[in-house]
Amino acid sequence: MKIKFTVNGKKVVVDCEPSKTLLKVLREDLFLTGTKEGCGKGECGACTVIMDAMAVNSCIIPIGQVAGKSLNTIEGLSKSGELHPLQKAFIEEGAVQCGFCIPGMILSAKALLDINKNPSTNDIKVALSGNLCRCTGYTKIIEAVKKSAIMMRAQR
Ligand code: FES
Ligand code: FES
């Protein structure tokens, strides 16, 4: 079955079973391997992407439900070789260790910052509550999201 949607501003068409997960289509058909597979069951957030402005777990979404939608993945964040403020802040704050959870963390944070330019610590904790990290202990991740919010407000 042919399914059309948009990824990082580009229209794409994939030809596959409609039950194949969005995560597998991103990684295997579109070679966008920045989106990671952790649990594969909708529990860890490693596979988070933004679909029509909502952070979603791509491992539990059949591609048949993605027809006509607009997606953002980690590959689409940098512009003209310049890292997104979230990516810069995560690096500067030392919020990245093994990195496996980070694409999902950053996309959940982006979905928050797109609707809330000045989130409280609690807002950030709620937005990232579905994203598990085994390495960093979350404090630096939350600081990185706060810092990127400041950077993004300064850009506007
Ligand atoms: Fe999708 Fe864990 S891999 S939520
Ligand atoms: Fe390793 Fe989060 S940095 S799981």
Side-chain angles (χ1 to χ4, degrees), residues 51-138:
M51 183 162 79
D52 287 353
M54 294 268 298
V56 297
N57 290 330
S58 62
C59 70
I60 52 169
I61 296 182
I63 196 65
Q65 291 181 11
V66 181
K69 307 277 189 191
S70 179
L71 301 175
N72 288 97
T73 71
I74 193 71
E75 288 87 352
L77 257 64
S78 64
K79 298 278 178 253
S80 311
E82 177 89 4
L83 291 179
H84 186 279
L86 273 163
Q87 293 170 307
K88 285 185 193 167
F90 269 65
I91 294 168
E92 289 171 9
E93 289 298 309
V96 180
Q97 289 193 25
C98 81
F100 202 80
C101 70
I102 298 299
M105 287 280 181
I106 286 182
L107 287 165
S108 288
K110 182 176 187 305
L112 169 67
L113 296 181
D114 285 346
I115 55 166
N116 182 349
K117 295 174 183 23
N118 192 10
S120 65
T121 300
N122 197 52
D123 293 335
I124 296 168
K125 284 184 178 173
V126 170
L128 298 185
S129 60
N131 294 83
L132 306 184
C133 177
R134 293 184 171 213
C135 302
T136 69
Y138 302 101

Side-chain angles (χ1 to χ4, degrees), residues 26-61:
L26 288 171
R27 292 181 58 86
E28 296 172 5
D29 297 69
L30 300 174
F31 307 109
L32 295 170
T33 54
T35 304
K36 304 302 183 199
E37 177 164 15
C39 66
K41 296 179 183 164
E43 290 169 5
C44 75
C47 64
T48 303
V49 298
I50 298 176
M51 183 162 79
D52 287 353
M54 294 268 298
V56 297
N57 290 330
S58 62
C59 70
I60 52 169
I61 296 182

